[in-house]
Amino acid sequence: MSHFSFPPTAQSALPVAIALIPLYIVARIVYRLTWHPLAIIPGPKLAASTSLYRAYYDVVCDGEWSEHLHVLHERYGTVVRVGPNELHFSDPNAYADIYGTGSTFPKDEKMYRCFGSSKSVFGQTDFHQAQKHRAALGPLFSRRATLRLEQEIQKHVDHLISQLLTYQKASKAADLHLALRSVTLDVVTSYCFGSCFNALDYAGFAHPVAISMDATLHLCWLFKHIPILRTLTDNCPQWIGLALMPATKGYYDQANQLGAQIDEILENPQTLTNSEHETMYHYFIEHQGQKHGLPGVKREESQQMTTQEKAQLRLWLLHEGLNLRFAGSETVGNACTLASFYILKDQFVKKRLVDELVGAWPDVDEPMGYEELEKLPYLTAVIKEALRLSWGTVTPMPRVVGPAGGVVAGLSLPPGTTIAMGNTIMHRNPDIFPDPLQFIPERWLRPDSAATLDRYLVAFSKGPRACIGINLAWCELYLILGNMFRKLELTDDGHSSLKDLEFREYFIPLYRGHHLHAYVEKRDQ
């Protein structure tokens, strides 16, 4: 019976190789601390030595990285080395250099691949390829398209109001957090895909898709720091993925549901003619895709696509759809929840907002549209302050300095450096927003500062890679908050506190505490 063994030379070399591993690690750390181009930048020595420093706050501390960044900047200044090859900034001028108009820094692939939507506008790391996708999809989210579909959005807002009023009869408090998440989920799926989950009709507004989104988010930092897990989820059979990581069920459920709709459309693009309005599929498949060099298909050409071409298009549509569903419901829902929290906690803010709405909209039986609501100064101020304190995304969005190097806030950077500045750092800057943790809508009404503050409101990011759905988001914010506080008398159930707004950072804030609940009554005319 034969057996395998290493040759004598290999046997003698193996212990040497093993012994050299610690030496290599030590040499690598010494280089990073001493001779690396970023060695002159202040920051924790452990962060400069290993990316495990960041992984500790992401995974072990359960999403504490964005809060830790505030501590680091207080200790080390406006530029901190937060990784072996990564810098984080707190200088407001740095934000424009990294993300603003004219910036072409590509996204950091190590970060963005963890979300599983690398083919989407959001997930594309290459700047120029992302611009092609954006050009194809952009018209769906233009202000003109949003205004054209305003009644579709209003339909869901009206349903939100009617569903909340059922709690008046039941004499119990409604979960406003889940209600607002449900309406934004219904809006974005109806707007983008021509069908929705009817999440507002679900008991307690706890629709499984909304719940599974939060559950799936907990995996993103594991996928980032252990990339093989992301690869397994994307490429292995579903049953294996579920066996290894049961928490991926929400991701698979969403992908399967959306994938079935895509398969139906690709099999028979004629079904698009039955849609009540144009959707993501119309723009990608028929209108803009091929125009911008993307893998599109016209109705009469669907049967001519090869299996490989159809698979490529399916993956592209799936990634874009998953991203739109998530980004279009989570961030707007959070902003509406936070606005409602502060309005219900501050009777002065509530009275001023309601007085403005009643004065401008005396008869609620007559609809008041988006363009009329956005002219109301105090409602606008409340929305902007809610966006500021709901952050948009709380995870700093990293970019990579190109081969020619770059300059950020006056600092020359070597090629390949990862750079970022988080929204929480900008929105909590006391030099821009005095008393930054206080909800003060009046700060947006001061004529000497309002225009300046707009420059530093970055909830939707800035520049060429800003949120593609910004027009839809603003329309939702005005219609939801305007209708809700004009038509309903909402009263906090007494169990919410500022502590409930403490969050775990998983790209968006996942609040740790009690969901905002309110008693609901119909407001008198």
Side-chain angles (χ1 to χ4, degrees):
M1 182 177 179
S2 64
H3 65 277
F4 174 80
S5 63
F6 287 104
T9 53
Q11 288 179 345
S12 60
L14 189 60
V16 175
I18 294 174
L20 287 175
I21 292 175
L23 183 62
Y24 168 77
I25 293 173
V26 171
R28 188 176 175 87
I29 291 174
V30 170
Y31 166 76
R32 288 172 170 176
L33 293 176
T34 309
W35 295 294
H36 192 283
L38 300 182
I40 60 172
I41 306 297
K45 297 300 183 185
L46 189 57
S49 302
T50 173
S51 60
L52 292 176
Y53 182 85
R54 166 76 181 268
Y56 171 78
Y57 287 95
D58 281 341
V59 179
V60 179
C61 295
D62 192 17
E64 282 292 323
W65 179 244
S66 66
E67 282 301 304
H68 185 60
L69 286 172
H70 290 272
V71 175
L72 294 181
H73 281 292
E74 288 177 8
R75 185 177 302 165
Y76 296 105
T78 59
V79 187
V80 182
R81 188 181 181 190
V82 296
N85 198 41
E86 183 173 355
L87 301 180
H88 192 275
F89 293 80
S90 66
D91 183 343
N93 295 315
Y95 197 96
D97 291 338
I98 298 171
Y99 307 103
T101 302
S103 171
T104 58
F105 292 129
K107 292 184 173 184
D108 181 13
E109 185 176 0
K110 287 181 291 186
M111 168 70 175
Y112 286 87
R113 75 182 299 271
C114 76
F115 298 111
S117 58
S118 60
K119 302 297 183 182
S120 67
V121 171
F122 167 78
Q124 281 282 344
T125 56
D126 180 79
F127 176 82
H128 299 289
Q129 186 66 19
Q131 291 306 102
K132 289 183 179 181
H133 283 242
R134 194 180 185 94
L137 189 59
L140 177 62
F141 295 103
S142 67
R143 180 175 173 86
R144 177 182 296 180
T146 301
L147 291 173
R148 189 167 60 245
L149 291 177
E150 180 181 343
Q151 292 308 308
E152 180 68 20
I153 303 168
Q154 182 67 54
K155 177 181 71 176
H156 295 292
V157 175
D158 291 340
H159 194 43
L160 166 69
I161 301 300
S162 66
Q163 290 298 88
L164 285 173
L165 281 171
T166 64
Y167 283 81
Q168 179 176 6
K169 300 174 183 177
S171 298
K172 64 179 182 180
D175 187 327
L176 280 189
H177 174 74
L178 287 180
L180 292 166
R181 283 283 305 283
S182 293
V183 71
T184 54
L185 180 61
D186 282 349
V187 166
V188 75
T189 50
S190 174
Y191 189 99
C192 295
F193 312 116
S195 62
C196 74
F197 294 110
N198 297 314
L200 284 167
D201 295 325
Y202 212 83
F205 304 112
H207 193 280
V209 169
I211 302 302
S212 70
M213 283 183 181
D214 288 353
T216 303
L217 271 177
H218 288 83
L219 294 169
C220 67
W221 298 152
L222 283 175
F223 288 157
K224 177 179 183 289
H225 295 291
I226 313 175
I228 187 64
L229 296 180
R230 176 79 263 174
T231 303
L232 284 171
T233 302
D234 291 339
N235 297 291
C236 72
Q238 181 175 321
W239 67 270
I240 296 179
L242 286 170
L244 293 173
M245 294 173 288
T248 57
K249 184 178 186 304
Y251 170 80
Y252 284 121
D253 287 347
Q254 290 190 63
N256 291 338
Q257 184 275 334
L258 188 60
Q261 185 184 46
I262 293 169
D263 288 339
E264 181 182 356
I265 290 171
L266 291 181
E267 186 65 29
N268 182 18
Q270 291 291 338
T271 58
L272 293 175
T273 59
N274 300 325
S275 179
E276 294 181 4
H277 59 82
E278 292 188 325
T279 64
M280 175 189 85
Y281 303 115
H282 291 82
Y283 281 89
F284 272 150
I285 293 179
E286 295 199 307
H287 298 340
Q288 301 291 334
Q290 292 179 329
K291 175 182 174 182
H292 296 282
L294 300 174
V297 55
K298 294 185 180 298
R299 293 176 190 172
E300 63 274 13
E301 298 171 352
S302 61
Q303 303 305 318
Q304 300 173 18
M305 294 183 74
T306 65
T307 302
Q308 184 177 1
E309 289 172 335
K310 189 169 288 190
Q312 181 185 11
L313 179 56
R314 184 187 190 277
L315 183 63
W316 175 32
L317 292 171
L318 179 63
H319 282 196
E320 200 65 69
L322 289 171
N323 177 65
L324 289 172
R325 180 184 291 176
F326 168 77
S329 62
E330 293 272 5
T331 52
V332 177
N334 275 344
C336 288
T337 296
L338 191 124
S340 300
F341 174 90
Y342 281 108
I343 292 168
L344 297 184
K345 288 294 182 184
D346 190 325
Q347 291 305 306
F348 174 81
V349 170
K350 182 180 179 182
K351 184 177 186 307
R352 187 168 180 182
L353 175 63
V354 171
D355 286 350
E356 181 182 70
L357 285 166
V358 172
W361 190 359
D363 184 1
V364 291
D365 292 330
E366 292 293 326
M368 189 170 187
Y370 168 41
E371 290 183 297
E372 296 172 282
L373 286 169
E374 66 180 349
K375 294 175 184 176
L376 301 183
Y378 199 69
L379 174 59
T380 300
V382 166
I383 290 173
K384 288 181 178 180
E385 190 71 343
L387 287 169
R388 184 180 73 83
L389 286 175
S390 64
W391 321 114
T393 60
V394 287
T395 296
M397 298 286 95
R399 303 291 190 262
V400 180
V401 177
V407 177
V408 174
L411 180 66
S412 295
L413 301 173
T417 304
T418 300
I419 51 178
M421 180 172 172
N423 290 358
T424 65
I425 298 289
M426 179 72 91
H427 288 173
R428 282 165 57 173
N429 187 318
D431 296 329
I432 301 170
F433 303 103
D435 296 320
L437 294 179
Q438 300 299 311
F439 188 84
I440 309 173
E442 287 73 18
R443 73 172 86 239
W444 300 94
L445 300 175
R446 297 166 189 152
D448 59 331
S449 62
T452 302
L453 294 187
D454 280 339
R455 174 185 172 191
Y456 298 111
L457 182 63
V458 296
F460 298 107
S461 192
K462 295 284 186 179
R465 303 214 62 175
C467 174
I468 195 171
I470 185 171
N471 289 308
L472 174 60
W474 276 107
C475 183
E476 287 182 82
L477 287 164
Y478 275 102
L479 290 179
I480 292 171
L481 293 173
N483 279 264
M484 197 163 67
F485 284 96
R486 173 60 186 94
K487 297 177 179 179
L488 303 176
E489 176 60 49
L490 299 171
T491 306
D492 189 297
D493 72 344
H495 297 295
S496 298
S497 69
L498 284 172
K499 192 170 180 63
D500 295 327
L501 297 185
E502 294 177 1
F503 61 83
R504 294 166 291 173
E505 174 229 326
Y506 284 94
F507 182 67
I508 63 162
L510 293 181
Y511 297 111
R512 295 181 183 274
H514 169 78
H515 280 187
L516 176 64
H517 284 65
Y519 293 105
V520 183
E521 294 181 10
K522 188 173 183 179
R523 185 176 297 283
D524 294 335
Q525 289 278 1

